[in-house]
Each structure stands twice: as structure tokens, then as C-alpha cells.
Amino acid sequence: MYKEIVTEIIGTGLHSADEVEVALLTSESVSIEMKRSVPAYAGESFGTGLIIRVIDSGRIGSSSTSTIADWRVCLDSAISSARLAEPVPWGGLPDPVPLKGESLSFDSAVKTDPDIALSYCNRLLEGASAYPEAEVVGGGAGLSLGSVLLANSKGIWYEEDHTSVSASLETIADQSTGFEYDRSYSLDIDPFEIGRRAAELASTSRNGVPIETGTYDILLSPVAFSGLVASLLQSAVNGRSVHMGRSFLAEKLGEVIGAEHLSVIDDPFYPGGLGNCRFDAEGVPTRKNVLIEDGVLKSFVYDLKTAYRFGKESTGNAARGGVAGGVSIGLHTLVFSAETMQEPGEGHCISINDVIGAHTANPLTGDFSVEVQNAFIMEDGICQQPVRKAMIAGNIFEMLGQITGMGPTPRRVGSVIVPPVRISGMRLVG
Amino acid sequence: MDSRLRYWDLRHVSGEHTGIDIDNGEIESAGVTFFSKAIIRALGPRGWGIVAVSPFNPDDKGALRDYLLRAEKAAVVTAEDVVLADAPDRKLLPVPPVKEDPTEIPLEEKGTLLMQITEAAKVPGVSNTRGTYTERFEEVTFLDSTGYEVSYTTCRSGFSVMAIAKQNGAMQMGYVRDHRIDGLNLRGRTDDGIRAGTRAVALLNARAAKGGRMRAVLDPELGGVFAHEAVGHASEGDLVKEGASVLKDRIGTAIGSPIVTIIDDPTMHAFGFEPVDAEGVAGKRTAIIEDGILKRYLHSRETLAAVGNGDAGHARAMPGDLPIVRMSNTYIAPGDARYDEMIEECRDGILLGGSRGGQVDPGRGVFQFNAEFGYLIEGGELTEMVRDVSLTGEILSTLHAITLCGNDLKMHPGYCGKGGQSVPVSDGSPHILLSEAIIGGSGDV
């Protein structure tokens, strides 16, 4: 039924616009949420979404609706939206190409089965019981299925399914808190380990000691590093920000911007990557884009509109994040690597598991000062004493140049892949 | 509808979200999203069964019956003994009169008005400007198993304008935003554009602040963030109930200096206003701290029954999402100090202004927030401008450090995130003086 509607939308839209693109999204999920250690909410969700984009004489309009039956209202709205937009030198929506392989972030074993969610909740609690002094504050588990159908007036008809499995636990021991989570497209998360780690963090962070204000080597966990760096880097390599003069990296292509062994790749095919997909939000086949190689800034990322406007080519990085379901520029799976240190906590350093206020960093310049969370004085990789309170201050771009190395095992944090990161010379205010 | 359910409710929100994005003087995009979302909560023998649907068709009575059956089935695995407190205030609060209805103004005209504000930001030294307009028209219907039903509409709208200034390879940004619930706010606002542009240029010559412990004056915007992050979240009844707040078991104790009174008021006609909360309960002004003493928590019906000490009417939700305990309009009550007096009294320290957001861990009792700009205070006078300065503190000690409250309370609109949901709020404060604050910055001197 949906297929007929999509064909009808494209046909009708072509009466008023040069090109039409339709995305039809479906999703369903189940989840169980615990309050303290008791399942308190058990729920399910069902949703659909329709996004229509039209392009007429270089003017791009969009509209979206949750009610597919109301597609005519949505189409009219997209056409009005196009009339208002400033025209760009548009070179056309992409033509269809054969897509290789199957959906990349999909596991057919994932079902929206509440029993799986419940068993995950139980495993979270079993894991946490290793540290009885840590009380469970809350947590839960969820499973979801989704699909995307992308069609356009050039004949593209792409379908992709995706799945998501997640679990998290929050704990407290005295006035010390712990949180851990994981999300995957597959049933390979380990809720026992998530629960154990959440309780361990709260338990071992108790009785923190003050530290002297000064300059330290730090070991940022994958969670702390991605919280500070990922969204800032994403906006700095965004082609639109770059060409509009809103990126710190705008003039730095080909320059050294990080440690000489640092590489950052947007890799939509990275095994297990949560942002993986074969085509982007406007049907351009995705590709691996090297952003930073050996410390040198190699490339920016583009959608079609920005690419046409500034004489570049789309890098397959169109995302659905714009006004009225329109397109913005985004990354898929951001993979960080650097010189491998067998023991990134070697010698003396401060290990930082998370930070409070990562989103308050200056989005333009990268200057930040945030509070550490679950930080420890570390000697040769062993946490010696928890740090009661400290602020870490610096500049995120400068920090990229101070990376000494990374641990041997990368971790998945949302759509970021990164091992623990050792950074020298960071200022901590005790 | 079904006798095996102890209680159920339905919250259906339909409407239109409109956005305009202006980038460097050109309309990049402008358009509308239509939605119709509902959440059904059903209380089985123990806990909640939940069904969230999008789209929801209110005319399909069979669908509601089906969703309730699903919710009842889902609730079987729950084990928490949920009890709901009585909530007698089940009627709509008066909605603020709308001066100029944004939905009646054509998108083109709103685009033109936003363009004027954005263009005004192009003061000398500014190299890029950006403006966004957001409008959220929502029709809300709440009904529950007692036969109670209310409906209302709200339209929240507002803009943000950003300017970027560049000089010798350095760049800085200035940012002004305003959102309202009582009508279009785009007319006659070019001064806000100028303010964003001027701030960006001024920050080019500001030094990075040096961190450390010092006296600090917070402006009303940042003072509001302080009230929100340092006190508001920790007073939320769900966190208290789950043992995740340092304010648990502290009702009646002094947690701040006697001049500190902090209030959350969902009845105030500011950006966080709701005619009823997401459980159909009319909110009331809740004084969390009175004269330094912790008096009340913010509650939903469920957390009020479990914890006590406070008021229901503070449950809020995004369309199609579960109600959770949230702030609405949170502020530090004004005192009688004059601004000049506070700078003089501070003597040597720092004035912090504007907000880049903040975060709190209410269980650990530690908060952090970041200012947009600051000025050093030397010898009782403002001297040099500084940038990228933040403040952290511990909830249970910081409130004791408030030594002066100004007489110039002002509210600022914003959005607050919790549990994956973002809801409109406002925060406010007069200027306040802290006798000691932990200031973060990357500067050396």
C-alpha cells in the first residue's frame, strides 16, 4: 500500500516541481524501564513518518508528517517551502545505482520481544550485584526495528532496515554515581558487564581525594573523549559550516591539526558501526571519508546542495536533521585511531571516565572547561585513588595535537568508535 | 473501559512545527512538520504499561481500546507498586492572551522579519550571521479513566540570531535568543541582532579566563541557570524517590544562606507555562527553598504519593513521550541589593554573563555551567572582558555562598533536557553575589 502512495506522491509532485524525493520511515520498539531495581514501565511504540522534498529551479523545499494518509497536505507544504528558499545551482538528484549487500545496521535476530528486554534487565542487576554497596537508581533495556524507503523521481527505490538493542544502568554509592550503557544493532551487548561496570564506577569513586591545580597527563575514556570531541569535530568538518565561514578548520585543509599519528575516518562500513548505511538521506551511495590522516586535515563532508553550491562533490553525508525533515550534513560512523599504547595508563596520569557539561564547550573555537566524573589518579594503568572534584579546561582542537596514543581496544560509543585516549599537558583545576 | 486496569490516561498532541533557517543573508530552508502523537499509560495491578503511537487518530475509538489492551498486557512484567496521589487541581489554568498569533502570519513575512534581525547582526567585524525561527503550534488533549478530559492549544515561537566575528585568524561568536508563549516576537527586534554582532566582535579581544576559586557575580540569565542546575533538578521528586538526589531527606534543613528563596512556578506566564501538566493537573507555584530552608520537592502524582513534601502538577512530556517530573519557570527570588552595590561588594572577582548551558549530577551533587562572557572585577569595578569561563560547584555548599541577591529579577527562555526529552522552560534570577565560586577557564594569567 505504501509503495503505491510513494509512486503517487512522486507523480503528483512532478506537476509542480522539477524533482521529487520521498522518504518513508517506520519504527517499532519495546522497552522496560526500571526505577531502582524494579521494572516500573513496560512499553511499546509504533510510528511512521513521511518526508517529502521537492526541487524546483534550484529551490529546495521540504515537509514531513507522521500521518502518511495526509500526504497531499505535506506535498503542498513542501512546494510552498521551495518557493521561499533561496535557489542554488542544483545539478539534480542522484540516479539509481545497484546497492551492494544487505542493510548494514540490521540483525534479523532482533525482535521487539519484551521477554528479551526483561532478561536484559535481570542481567544488568546481576552484574551490579558484584558491588552491593552500589544501589541501583534506575536503568532499562530496549529493542527496536526500523525501516527506510527512499524513492525519487530519477528512479531511485532504496530500502534499508535497521535494528537497535540497548541497555543502561545508573547506580549510586553514598554520594558517588555510576552510569554505563551500550547500544548495538545486534544482540551482542553484554548487560551483565554494563551492570557490573555501572556499580563498579559508583563504588570505586567513593571517598575521593582533592587534587592540586596543575598540568597533568590524562587518560580519557571513549565515553569522555567522544562526548568532548565528536560533535565539535562533526560541525567543524561540515562542508556548509566550512564554506559559510563558521568552522575553525575552514582554512586548514592540508595542514597538521593533530598528533602526527592521529587518524579520523568517517566509515559507514565499519563492522558494528551504529551509523552504518549504504546510501545517505538523499540517496547518494555512502563511502569511507578520511577526515584526518597522520594528523593532517584531509577532507570535509558534503551533501548534494552544499557540494553543488561550492563546486565539490557529495561525500554521501546527507542526514535528516534539517528544518521540516530537510537535509543537513552529518557523519555516519566516526572512527578514531592513533599510535597504539599497550598500556595507555602507563606512568602517572588522571583517568577520566566521563565529564559533566561536554555540550557547553564553545562550538566554534573548541574552548571548554568541564567537570570530571568518575576520575581516578592512575599509576601504570591501575586506578589508585578517586578524584573528588576537578575541572578540566583547554581547547579541543589543541587537545588533538596533545594525543600521545590510544589503548589497544576501541569501544563503540553511539556512532563513534574510539579506544581510551592518552593526552599530555592538560590543565586541571582542583 | 477495562476493569482490570486501576487507571489509564491518554495524552494526544497534534500540531505543526515551523522552522526558518537563514544563513548569511539567504533563506537556507523554511518549512513545516505535521504530527499527531499519543501516549497511553495504563496502570495494571503493579506498574505502568505504555503504548506510544504516531500517528494517532482520535476518532478511531476501536484503536484506543486496542492500545489499552496492549498496555495492559505490557504492564504484566512490571513489579513496582505504583500509587497515584489525589490531584484535585484538575482544571485548566488561564492561558496568557496572545498579542499576535504567529500561526496567522505568513511564512514569507516571518522570513522577512527574521532576515531584518539577522542582517542587523552584521556590524563591522562580523563575517557570518545565522538566524533561526521556530514555531510550535500544539493541540493537546488529555483524558483519563475517571472521565476527566481537557483540551488546550499553545503556540510557542521565537528566534535565535548568531554572529561570527573574525580577526587575524581568531574567531568568536555572539548569540541572542528569545522565545515566547504569548505571540510573535519578531517585530522591532533588530537590536538583538546588533547585540549578537557586538558581542562577537568584543569577544575577539577578550582573554581566556584563568580558573580558580574567587568571588563571582552572576547576571540574571546565568543566575537562572544556576537555580535550574544547582537546585531545580535535585528537587525533582523522581530523583528523590529513586535515591538519586543529594536533597533527599533534607526537607526542613538549611541548604542555603537565609537570603536564598528558589521557586518553580508553572502558573507564571513565561516560556515554561502549561495550562495543565502532562497528567492533567494544574500546576501551582512551588517554593523549593524559602529563606535558605528546603521546603518542597517538585512532583508528579506518583512521586508525590511516594515521597510527599511538595506539589504535583510538575509532570511534563514531549508530544508522544512519558510524563516525567520537570521544572517549568524556575527562579531565585529578588532581594534588595543594587547592581552597583554588588560589584562594589565583590571587590575582586569576576562577573559572569549569558549562558552556554549546563549540566548536573544530582546524585553526586555536582553541577557545571558555562557563561558566554565575563568581566574581571578589580577594586570594585569592571575591568577586562574574558571569554570561555565556566562555573562548577557542589549543591550542598554553593547555596551558602550566596551573599547578596539583587533587585533585578529577569526570566530567560530555553529548553531543558532530561531522560531524552527536551521541554520548554524559563529560568531567572536577579544578579547574585557568590562569596566563593570555582571558576574554570583555560587561560594562564
Side-chain angles (χ1 to χ4, degrees):
Chain A
M1 177 187 87
Y2 286 157
K3 293 193 176 184
E4 288 160 23
I5 291 179
V6 169
T7 308
E8 195 178 355
I9 295 169
I10 293 174
T12 312
L14 284 175
H15 296 306
S16 313
D18 301 336
E19 293 187 294
V20 182
E21 175 193 271
V22 177
L24 208 154
L25 319 174
T26 68
S27 64
E28 60 173 276
S29 71
V30 295
S31 62
I32 293 177
E33 192 181 332
M34 295 183 288
K35 296 293 182 187
R36 291 186 177 261
S37 55
V38 181
Y41 295 93
E44 50 190 33
S45 78
F46 309 90
T48 56
L50 171 71
I51 303 170
I52 303 176
R53 281 207 306 162
V54 297
I55 299 105
D56 196 52
S57 308
R59 296 174 189 272
I60 305 170
S62 64
S63 179
S64 65
T65 180
S66 57
T67 309
I68 293 168
D70 291 348
W71 64 268
R72 284 177 193 280
V73 176
C74 186
L75 178 61
D76 287 346
S77 172
I79 291 163
S80 313
S81 156
R83 289 199 190 106
L84 218 59
E86 197 74 27
V88 293
W90 181 255
L93 284 169
D95 290 307
V97 294
L99 292 178
K100 287 192 208 104
E102 306 277 301
S103 297
L104 293 173
S105 299
F106 177 73
D107 181 348
S108 59
V110 175
K111 310 281 180 214
T112 51
D113 178 353
D115 290 340
I116 302 176
L118 188 63
S119 71
Y120 280 6
C121 287
N122 291 331
R123 291 290 285 161
L124 286 166
L125 299 175
E126 286 168 26
S129 66
Y131 294 88
E133 61 281 10
E135 290 175 43
V136 172
V137 165
L143 301 106
S144 72
L145 310 178
S147 71
V148 179
L149 161 63
L150 184 77
N152 73 21
S153 51
K154 284 282 191 68
I156 274 186
W157 190 280
Y158 295 158
E159 291 178 65
E160 194 150 70
D161 295 318
H162 47 93
T163 43
S164 168
V165 180
S166 63
S168 67
L169 199 73
E170 204 183 330
T171 61
I172 190 163
D174 302 332
Q175 257 189 49
S176 150
T177 53
F179 176 76
E180 187 57 275
Y181 78 105
D182 196 11
R183 187 159 75 88
S184 172
Y185 72 81
S186 181
L187 293 164
D188 61 356
I189 64 169
D190 183 349
F192 182 91
E193 176 56 20
I194 294 168
R196 192 201 65 76
R197 179 71 180 147
E200 180 187 34
L201 282 170
S203 176
T204 55
S205 299
R206 286 177 302 164
N207 307 315
V209 295
I211 59 163
E212 293 284 320
T213 297
T215 302
Y216 293 84
D217 269 25
I218 62 169
L219 179 62
L220 287 182
S221 78
V223 171
F225 183 83
S226 65
L228 278 171
V229 175
S231 75
L232 186 88
L233 195 61
Q234 166 150 338
S235 60
V237 298
N238 175 320
R240 181 174 159 201
S241 305
V242 166
H243 291 278
M244 286 296 185
R246 271 199 308 271
S247 164
F248 183 81
L249 299 179
E251 315 285 323
K252 297 189 170 64
L253 211 54
E255 290 181 21
V256 175
I257 62 154
E260 60 183 17
H261 46 89
L262 173 70
S263 288
V264 185
I265 300 170
D266 183 34
D267 184 358
F269 310 103
Y270 188 91
L274 277 177
N276 290 2
C277 50
R278 294 169 297 165
F279 53 91
D280 74 359
E282 47 194 357
V284 173
T286 54
R287 63 187 205 196
K288 198 165 156 174
N289 289 302
V290 177
L291 306 174
I292 300 173
E293 188 174 52
D294 300 332
V296 176
L297 179 63
K298 301 298 274 189
S299 64
F300 301 123
V301 295
Y302 295 93
D303 62 346
L304 280 173
K305 178 182 176 180
T306 312
Y308 286 140
R309 202 164 172 185
F310 297 105
K312 305 288 175 184
E313 70 169 356
S314 167
T315 55
N317 286 94
R320 286 183 192 87
V323 168
V327 160
S328 61
I329 298 174
L331 299 176
H332 303 293
T333 299
L334 192 59
V335 185
F336 289 84
S337 60
E339 187 166 292
T340 302
M341 299 170 79
Q342 282 315 311
E343 179 43 78
E346 68 185 23
H348 181 82
C349 69
I350 306 292
S351 161
I352 299 170
N353 190 69
D354 204 353
V355 298
I356 302 180
H359 67 285
T360 70
N362 187 317
L364 188 66
T365 65
D367 284 304
F368 70 95
S369 49
V370 297
E371 175 69 25
V372 302
Q373 181 85 320
N374 302 117
F376 300 87
I377 298 167
M378 183 175 262
E379 303 285 348
D380 292 324
I382 312 282
C383 290
Q384 300 290 349
Q385 281 178 302
V387 174
R388 177 161 173 259
K389 187 182 180 316
M391 284 183 96
I392 172 172
N395 179 282
I396 288 161
F397 294 109
E398 282 172 20
M399 206 169 80
L400 295 179
Q402 292 161 243
I403 293 176
T404 340
M406 296 187 185
T409 316
R411 177 184 162 169
R412 173 179 61 208
V413 183
S415 56
V416 175
I417 307 284
V418 65
V421 184
R422 174 80 173 228
I423 301 166
S424 65
M426 294 299 297
R427 185 175 169 80
L428 293 182
V429 178
Chain B
M1 196 172 270
D2 190 311
S3 58
R4 282 167 300 182
L5 291 173
R6 290 191 284 148
Y7 169 84
W8 59 263
D9 62 26
L10 161 77
R11 186 169 189 262
H12 172 222
V13 186
S14 61
E16 298 175 13
H17 289 178
T18 301
I20 305 172
D21 178 2
I22 292 180
D23 200 342
N24 244 357
E26 293 188 351
I27 295 189
E28 183 75 20
S29 52
V32 183
T33 293
F34 304 89
F35 64 92
S36 172
K37 299 180 179 190
I39 186 141
I40 292 106
R41 302 191 304 170
L43 207 46
R46 311 292 292 264
W48 292 104
I50 309 293
V51 174
V53 284
S54 165
F56 176 79
N57 179 0
D59 300 325
D60 185 349
K61 297 300 175 200
L64 176 59
R65 200 170 304 121
D66 177 48
Y67 296 142
L68 283 169
L69 284 171
R70 283 174 167 275
E72 182 184 347
K73 194 165 152 245
V76 168
V77 302
T78 63
E80 187 173 58
D81 279 313
V82 172
V83 176
L84 298 182
D86 284 338
D89 301 317
R90 287 160 82 76
K91 58 177 190 312
L92 292 175
L93 292 170
V95 177
V98 171
K99 295 178 189 95
E100 183 176 14
D101 184 351
T103 62
E104 309 248 305
I105 311 298
L107 196 55
E108 288 81 352
E109 188 176 350
K110 289 183 278 210
T112 305
L113 291 167
L114 180 65
M115 186 72 82
Q116 288 167 3
I117 300 171
T118 314
E119 290 296 294
K122 286 185 178 157
V123 303
V126 166
S127 57
N128 175 278
T129 59
R130 191 159 183 195
T132 56
Y133 171 75
T134 55
E135 177 185 300
R136 297 166 173 234
F137 171 76
E138 296 180 356
E139 284 185 272
V140 184
T141 298
F142 177 92
L143 57 102
D144 69 20
S145 49
T146 68
Y148 169 70
E149 179 170 349
V150 284
S151 298
Y152 63 91
T153 63
T154 53
C155 184
R156 296 173 203 272
S157 69
F159 69 89
S160 72
V161 52
M162 183 183 75
I164 289 173
K166 275 192 205 168
Q167 190 183 60
N168 305 327
M171 19 186 351
Q172 286 297 332
M173 61 182 250
Y175 186 75
V176 173
R177 62 183 177 276
D178 185 38
H179 294 268
R180 306 195 67 89
I181 196 166
D182 60 356
L184 191 79
N185 68 344
L186 291 175
R187 296 188 197 281
R189 298 301 295 265
T190 51
D191 282 356
D192 291 285
I194 295 169
R195 200 149 55 92
T198 310
R199 170 89 36 81
V201 174
L203 280 170
L204 281 175
N205 297 313
R207 278 194 304 174
K210 178 176 186 274
R213 288 170 189 264
M214 61 193 85
R215 280 194 287 273
V217 177
L218 308 189
D219 84 347
E221 180 168 3
L222 206 56
V225 176
F226 176 82
H228 181 103
E229 299 295 347
V231 176
H233 279 298
S235 73
E236 290 164 348
D238 53 342
L239 302 183
V240 175
K241 171 172 170 273
E242 290 142 29
S245 168
V246 290
L247 297 185
K248 185 187 172 213
D249 297 330
R250 290 188 188 267
I251 290 287
T253 62
I255 62 163
S257 86
I259 62 164
V260 178
T261 291
I262 297 183
I263 291 156
D264 186 80
D265 187 357
T267 72
M268 178 190 270
H269 285 176
F271 197 55
F273 171 82
E274 307 264 18
V276 285
D277 79 348
E279 297 185 303
V281 179
K284 59 170 75 158
R285 179 183 180 279
T286 300
I288 301 165
I289 298 173
E290 281 175 328
D291 305 326
I293 312 287
L294 181 67
K295 294 281 194 177
R296 292 170 195 86
Y297 300 123
L298 308 181
H299 282 308
S300 63
R301 293 181 63 190
E302 181 179 344
T303 67
L304 177 60
V307 176
N309 291 311
D311 304 314
H314 294 280
R316 304 186 62 192
M318 274 171 46
D321 259 309
L322 266 181
I324 45 181
V325 179
R326 306 296 291 259
M327 286 169 265
S328 54
N329 305 300
T330 315
Y331 62 96
I332 300 176
D336 50 17
R338 285 179 300 107
Y339 168 75
D340 298 351
E341 199 181 315
M342 300 175 79
I343 300 296
E344 173 71 31
E345 178 80 20
C346 177
R347 210 64 212 155
D348 293 299
I350 192 165
L351 168 73
L352 304 183
S355 166
R356 238 170 34 209
Q359 197 180 350
V360 62
D361 178 343
R364 183 177 159 208
V366 172
F367 61 88
Q368 181 273 2
F369 55 79
N370 216 303
E372 279 176 324
F373 61 94
Y375 284 93
L376 299 181
I377 302 174
E378 293 167 315
E381 286 179 12
L382 295 191
T383 57
E384 196 183 349
M385 191 182 201
V386 291
R387 58 175 170 82
D388 296 302
V389 52
S390 69
L391 193 153
T392 62
E394 290 175 306
I395 294 171
L396 293 177
S397 61
T398 310
L399 292 173
H400 291 288
I402 299 181
T403 49
L404 282 177
C405 281
N407 55 9
D408 50 356
L409 169 67
K410 195 166 176 241
M411 303 299 290
H412 286 87
Y415 283 86
C416 164
K418 178 182 172 187
Q421 297 190 44
S422 169
V423 298
V425 297
S426 73
D427 306 327
S429 170
H431 277 89
I432 54 173
L433 173 64
L434 303 176
S435 58
E436 184 182 72
I438 307 165
I439 302 297
S442 57
D444 296 327
V445 282

